[in-house]
């Protein structure tokens, strides 16, 4: 019998294969845990970020993404940057924009915050407080999250 984590990984892989073009190179969870600290950019909605995010991630949004705010914060175009969202679809779009803006070291977190949490890593609701809650965007996407507390409505977050 396959574990829920393995099934979730297979579903994430299938979904990414359908929705992404791999125009932004992936970085996998185990690689991110081993690298020197890149700048993490969260490309989800503000309410998703507020529920939880990767430690020290900067919220940049998706629909509200403003390239100028990133270029003001990250002036060195060779800075290692990792973009992420729920599973890696929205973040690929933002990663493409960063590459077009001249950033040379942009990677997309494969499986996003869901895969990060599915592999047992910590997420934070503020700079110092860990949480098990992850905003799952909607119930359909929530099926891909196998670890932690699924939050569909921000009123549920802890």
């Amino acid at each position: 019998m396959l574990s829920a984590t393995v099934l979730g990984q297979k579903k994430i892989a299938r979904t990414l294969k359908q929705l992404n073009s791999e125009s932004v190179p992936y970085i996998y969870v185990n690689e991110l845990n081993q690298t020197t600290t890149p700048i993490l950019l969260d490309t989800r909605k503000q309410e998703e970020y507020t529920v939880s995010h990767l430690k020290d991630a900067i919220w940049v949004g998706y629909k509200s993404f403003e390239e100028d705010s990133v270029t003001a914060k990250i002036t060195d175009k060779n800075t290692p940057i990792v973009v992420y969202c729920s599973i890696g679809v929205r973040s690929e779009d933002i990663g493409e924009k960063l590459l077009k803006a001249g950033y040379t070291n942009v990677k997309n977190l494969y499986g996003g915050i869901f895969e990060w949490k599915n592999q047992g890593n910590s997420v934070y609701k503020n700079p110092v407080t860990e949480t098990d809650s992850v905003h799952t965007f909607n119930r359909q996407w929530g099926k891909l999250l196998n670890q932690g507390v699924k939050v569909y409505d921000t009123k549920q977050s802890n």
Side-chain angles (χ1 to χ4, degrees):
M1 183 173 161
L2 291 174
S3 73
T5 300
V6 171
L7 287 173
Q9 288 170 340
K10 287 184 177 189
K11 288 178 183 176
I12 287 173
R14 198 168 36 247
T15 303
L16 288 174
K17 202 169 232 12
Q18 290 173 340
L19 299 176
N20 279 7
S21 64
E22 297 187 40
S23 57
V24 179
Y26 286 124
I27 185 168
Y28 294 86
V29 169
N30 61 333
E31 292 175 280
L32 182 56
N33 277 330
Q34 296 170 8
T35 62
T36 56
T37 312
I39 294 179
L40 300 169
L41 300 180
D42 190 311
T43 66
R44 300 172 301 149
K45 292 180 179 180
Q46 180 71 54
E47 56 264 26
E48 293 172 86
Y49 175 86
T50 301
V51 169
S52 67
H53 50 271
L54 275 61
K55 187 164 183 61
D56 300 325
I58 300 167
W59 178 78
V60 295
Y62 179 71
K63 288 184 181 175
S64 59
F65 176 77
E66 293 180 9
E67 186 180 306
D68 291 344
S69 70
V70 172
T71 56
K73 290 176 188 162
I74 308 171
T75 55
D76 180 355
K77 300 277 179 133
N78 297 314
T79 300
I81 297 171
V82 172
V83 292
Y84 74 91
C85 61
S86 295
I87 69 162
V89 176
R90 292 175 284 179
S91 52
E92 182 177 73
D93 293 344
I94 299 303
E96 288 172 355
K97 291 178 182 183
L98 293 170
L99 290 169
K100 285 180 187 162
Y103 289 93
T104 62
N105 195 355
V106 179
K107 299 226 165 77
N108 186 12
L109 181 58
Y110 184 89
I113 195 170
F114 289 7
E115 186 62 18
W116 180 262
K117 189 65 179 157
N118 284 346
Q119 290 195 29
N121 294 291
S122 298
V123 294
Y124 293 79
K125 65 179 179 179
N126 62 45
V128 295
T129 308
E130 282 188 47
T131 182
D132 276 333
S133 296
V134 177
H135 196 294
T136 55
F137 188 66
N138 64 33
R139 293 195 186 281
Q140 186 65 31
W141 289 109
K143 293 176 183 176
L144 301 174
L145 180 69
N146 300 311
Q147 301 290 321
V149 177
K150 298 176 186 184
V151 176
Y152 303 101
D153 180 342
T154 54
K155 293 177 190 112
Q156 292 178 351
S157 63
N158 62 4

